[in-house]
Amino acid sequence: MPVAVSYQAAADDGGRDRYVAASQATYWVTPPALTGDHYVSDLDWLEESNGYGPIERDRSNGEAAGDDGRPITIAGVTYAKGVGMHATGSLTTWLGGTCTAFRAVVGIDDEVLNKPGDTGVGSVRFRVYGDGVLLTETPVLSNDDGGVPLDVDVTGVRRLRLVADEGTDGKNFDHADWADARVTCEEG
């Protein structure tokens, strides 16, 4: 909401000069706390960034365009729900302090193995933050690691942040999946 302020100051000659200053403030209205079980791909995201193209809901990262991903698939297992990122990527969503668990299967999407002429291997470290505090992280995972289950205590967490960081060989092929990513919440 824009705010305009005006004030006057005395000039050297005893006259009055008029000065105007302007400022802008952002107001954030806290959403209601979550109750029940929710997939992260169905929630509103407060912030998001991605290493290549947009983050995808219920699809792999794909390429640069939105909705160009494939079904999320890690080590031959296909998931109907989840989040497809490309390292370095992150998203933040509001839990409101009522959730107790975050669960997902994380890994590199099989699509990077299915591109003609590509022999690259993805490498990503997955991190989960609650209110800015690191709650868990994986070692650097590659295509060979398959899906790694996460079960994270998020009791009292208001903001959940999911991060996919580059591994050790740059960001090429780093299609990071948060398969079946969901939170379990109670009455607030």
Side-chain angles (χ1 to χ4, degrees), residues 41-76:
S41 60
D42 294 336
L43 298 174
D44 290 331
W45 299 339
L46 305 175
E47 300 170 334
E48 65 180 283
S49 65
N50 208 33
Y52 187 66
I55 294 176
E56 301 282 2
R57 295 175 186 263
D58 303 326
R59 297 173 185 254
S60 64
N61 184 79
E63 295 298 331
D67 295 325
D68 66 353
R70 300 175 181 166
I72 292 172
T73 307
I74 304 171

Side-chain angles (χ1 to χ4, degrees), residues 34-40 42-43 99-101 103 182-186:
L34 297 178
T35 58
D37 293 340
H38 298 272
Y39 287 102
V40 172
D42 294 336
L43 298 174
C99 300
T100 57
R103 293 179 182 92
R182 64 202 182 283
V183 292
T184 300
C185 310
E186 301 174 352

Side-chain angles (χ1 to χ4, degrees), residues 4 13 25 42 45 76 82 95 102 105 113 123 125 129 135 138 142 164 170 188:
D13 63 1
D42 294 336
W45 299 339
L95 302 183
F102 166 75
V105 176
L113 299 175
S123 62
R125 181 183 312 275
Y129 292 85
L135 301 177
T138 67
S142 74

Side-chain angles (χ1 to χ4, degrees), residues 165-185:
D165 281 330
E166 294 176 29
T168 55
D169 59 354
K171 71 178 193 173
N172 290 340
F173 309 104
D174 289 354
H175 291 216
D177 287 341
W178 299 83
D180 206 26
R182 64 202 182 283
V183 292
T184 300
C185 310

Side-chain angles (χ1 to χ4, degrees), residues 8-19:
Q8 291 185 337
D12 289 340
D13 63 1
R16 312 274 298 166
D17 291 335
R18 180 176 161 90
Y19 299 93

